[in-house]
């Protein structure tokens, strides 16, 4: 299955470089480009890509506002935020807007292609430094709701959700809970479906905002 990608960046050289490389990948097709946030929203609606590579700092409409509009439609694409620094102030708001992860603009070509595949598959792409900043932000603002087990999910699913929010990989969760990786994936899929969450990134935001997990735990 070919992954259809839209590239949104106000720098033409960046768009060209990404387009040229991704065009060499047998499972990835660049279907369009956008030079600002408003154009990204328009092109996402017209082309219906699987993944949008979204720069944050763009004219007309920034990447955060564009992400919010793109994610507001039914069956939206995955959004992968392009950033110059992994400690940008946009991490928290971008995830809350619905982004599935972050990619540094100086990432290697191989990392770029793998990032597209990861978010297209429904996984979150969060570097350890990004996860640490996200947790720090949750520590600052505090949970929006008191701690409680989410309605409809089992005790085991709650355990998986907590470990996901703590930044554990499926392999690490499987080892800690003495489960197979496939069972962990099954639990995570059920959690996302029951809580109406798009992906792992949203699950992390949900767990902290509801107080299910608190920074430092």
């Amino acid at each position: 299955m070919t992954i259809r990608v839209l590239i949104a960046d106000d720098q033409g050289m960046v768009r060209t470089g990404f387009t040229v490389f991704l065009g060499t990948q047998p499972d990835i097709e660049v279907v369009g480009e956008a030079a600002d946030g408003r154009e990204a929203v328009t092109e996402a609606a017209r082309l219906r890509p699987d993944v949008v590579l979204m720069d944050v700092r763009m004219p007309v409409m920034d990447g955060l506002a564009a992400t919010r509009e793109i994610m507001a439609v039914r069956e939206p694409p995955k959004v992968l935020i392009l950033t110059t620094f992994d400690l940008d102030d946009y991490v928290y708001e971008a995830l809350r807007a619905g982004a599935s992860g972050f990619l540094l603009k100086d990432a290697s070509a191989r990392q770029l292609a793998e990032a597209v595949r990861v978010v297209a598959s429904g996984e979150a792409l969060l570097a350890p430094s990004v996860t640490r900043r996200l947790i720090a932000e949750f520590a600052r603002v505090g949970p929006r709701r008191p701690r409680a087990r989410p309605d409809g999910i089992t005790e085991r699913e709650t355990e998986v959700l907590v470990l996901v929010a703590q930044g554990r990989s499926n392999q690490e969760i499987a080892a800690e809970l003495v489960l197979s990786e496939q069972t962990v994936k099954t639990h995570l899929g059920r959690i996302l479906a029951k809580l109406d969450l798009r992906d792992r990134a949203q699950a992390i935001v949900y767990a902290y905002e509801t107080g299910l997990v608190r920074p430092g735990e």
Side-chain angles (χ1 to χ4, degrees):
M1 182 176 177
T2 300
I3 303 169
R4 304 174 73 254
V5 176
L6 170 66
I7 300 173
D9 195 295
D10 63 337
Q11 298 181 43
M13 290 184 65
V14 171
R15 297 197 306 274
T16 298
F18 285 178
T19 298
V20 169
F21 174 72
L22 291 177
T24 67
Q25 302 301 299
D27 58 336
I28 299 174
E29 176 188 5
V30 176
V31 295
E33 299 180 13
D36 60 63
R38 173 51 62 195
E39 188 177 4
V41 173
T42 300
E43 290 299 278
R46 183 177 72 87
L47 298 170
R48 298 188 63 79
D50 300 304
V51 176
V52 178
L53 293 178
M54 180 77 76
D55 188 20
V56 172
R57 299 181 178 95
M58 291 189 292
V60 184
M61 175 187 286
D62 66 36
L64 294 182
T67 297
R68 290 189 191 98
E69 288 205 20
I70 288 173
M71 300 308 294
V73 304
R74 186 176 182 181
E75 297 183 1
K78 306 294 183 182
V79 175
L80 181 60
I81 297 291
L82 300 171
T83 180
T84 306
F85 304 103
D86 63 348
L87 296 183
D88 267 348
D89 293 334
Y90 304 106
V91 169
Y92 178 70
E93 287 303 323
L95 286 176
R96 293 200 66 224
S100 293
F102 297 82
L103 181 69
L104 294 177
K105 284 189 177 181
D106 63 358
S108 69
R110 182 176 180 179
Q111 288 172 324
L112 169 64
E114 186 56 29
V116 168
R117 295 183 182 107
V118 167
V119 297
S121 71
E123 293 289 326
L125 188 73
L126 299 175
S129 58
V130 170
T131 303
R132 284 194 297 271
R133 185 175 181 86
L134 179 64
I135 292 172
E137 183 66 13
F138 281 122
R140 186 182 69 81
V141 302
R144 292 173 175 245
R145 284 173 276 176
R147 182 197 304 260
R149 182 193 296 179
D151 291 338
I153 73 172
T154 66
E155 183 175 351
R156 175 62 85 188
E157 289 166 350
T158 301
E159 291 175 334
V160 170
L161 178 55
V162 167
L163 292 172
V164 166
Q166 291 173 345
R168 309 289 185 86
S169 68
N170 287 347
Q171 184 177 15
E172 291 169 336
I173 294 171
E176 179 152 343
L177 299 181
V178 194
L179 301 170
S180 70
E181 281 192 61
Q182 184 56 53
T183 299
V184 172
K185 290 179 182 178
T186 299
H187 282 312
L188 182 56
R190 289 173 179 165
I191 291 166
L192 297 180
K194 289 179 179 180
L195 300 179
D196 194 26
L197 303 172
R198 283 185 293 271
D199 53 29
R200 200 183 195 97
Q202 272 211 324
I204 293 172
V205 172
Y206 176 92
Y208 279 99
E209 288 198 332
T210 58
L212 183 65
V213 178
R214 299 180 191 276
E217 293 184 339

